[in-house]
Amino acid sequence: MTKVFFDCEMTGLHKDTTLISIGLVSECGKEFYAELTDYDRSQVYEWIEENVLNNLMFNDYGKVNKQLGSITFVKGTKEEVGVALKDWFNLFDTVELWSDCHHYDVVLLQDFFGGAFGVPSHIYYIPFDICTLMKALGVDPDISREAFVDTPIEGEKHNSLYDARVIQACYEKLMRNKERYLAKS
């Protein structure tokens, strides 16, 4: 089973939020990054503008759909991103999803498939998150992810691909040191 670490940036933390970008990183090195062009701009407030929109990779570009090395880049509507995302997930036999605090991210990801019941069967139906793993291992889940990782990750916080890479690095550190963490708790 291939672990895929992902993050979503959205227009707010509320039930009617809309997706701005999504980043996914697989443990085998394949990555996916997409920016949506049809998010609800009326929900964008100053913090989202400064911390999310300013950290998008393709602000100066129209539509994007290209493969550069192991990374798939897409910029388009939710429907266009969904087609590319489904193709990307088909690169894997089976997938286990991991995010940071996944309650918003998972719903937005599942929405590409028409909801939880539409998610393809090769994607494990139970998503996981590093917050719960941290708590279970006795690590403060409120810790700065960037301070927690062993090696700094290049990029900008609140860019979904950068955040997915940080989530992967946190997971790897937690798993590498789980016995030590458990001994302390």
Side-chain angles (χ1 to χ4, degrees):
M1 185 168 298
T2 302
K3 288 177 182 54
V4 171
F5 304 89
F6 75 101
D7 182 69
C8 296
E9 295 299 334
M10 60 211 75
T11 56
L13 300 178
H14 51 83
K15 71 180 182 85
D16 295 320
T17 192
T18 57
L19 189 62
I20 296 172
S21 70
I22 184 168
L24 301 99
V25 177
S26 72
E27 63 185 340
C28 63
K30 294 179 175 102
E31 298 181 328
F32 181 94
Y33 174 74
E35 296 175 4
L36 286 85
T37 57
D38 53 359
Y39 61 88
D40 186 347
R41 293 182 192 284
S42 73
Q43 295 179 358
V44 173
Y45 54 95
E46 187 176 342
W47 191 94
I48 297 291
E49 183 78 39
E50 291 173 7
N51 294 282
V52 175
L53 298 184
N54 285 343
N55 289 327
L56 295 174
M57 292 182 187
F58 301 118
N59 276 329
D60 298 330
Y61 296 89
K63 296 207 185 267
V64 174
N65 191 344
K66 64 171 67 178
Q67 183 77 30
L68 291 175
S70 62
I71 308 175
T72 300
F73 292 103
V74 180
K75 180 177 180 182
T77 64
K78 180 180 169 188
E79 182 179 335
E80 293 165 331
V81 170
V83 168
L85 183 62
K86 291 170 190 173
D87 288 345
W88 186 81
F89 271 118
N90 284 332
L91 298 173
F92 309 101
D93 291 330
T94 56
V95 173
E96 181 179 281
L97 293 170
W98 282 84
S99 64
D100 192 333
C101 298
H102 68 41
H103 45 283
Y104 290 101
D105 301 74
V106 166
V107 171
L108 292 168
L109 176 62
Q110 290 172 341
D111 199 38
F112 282 110
F113 302 103
F117 293 119
V119 175
S121 61
H122 74 287
I123 300 174
Y124 189 58
Y125 75 101
I126 299 174
F128 301 96
D129 66 72
I130 61 168
C131 288
T132 304
L133 183 58
M134 287 177 164
K135 180 76 171 162
L137 294 175
V139 176
D140 180 5
D142 200 31
I143 191 169
S144 161
R145 305 302 186 250
E146 292 75 21
F148 181 73
V149 299
D150 295 321
T151 306
I153 308 293
E154 206 170 306
E156 296 293 328
K157 187 174 182 161
H158 302 301
N159 170 279
S160 57
L161 184 58
Y162 167 83
D163 289 348
R165 290 172 177 161
V166 171
I167 293 164
Q168 179 183 25
C170 288
Y171 172 86
E172 289 171 352
K173 180 176 181 178
L174 289 163
M175 296 310 290
R176 194 172 51 251
N177 297 294
K178 66 182 173 187
E179 299 302 325
R180 188 176 59 132
Y181 294 132
L182 287 171
K184 286 182 179 180
S185 56

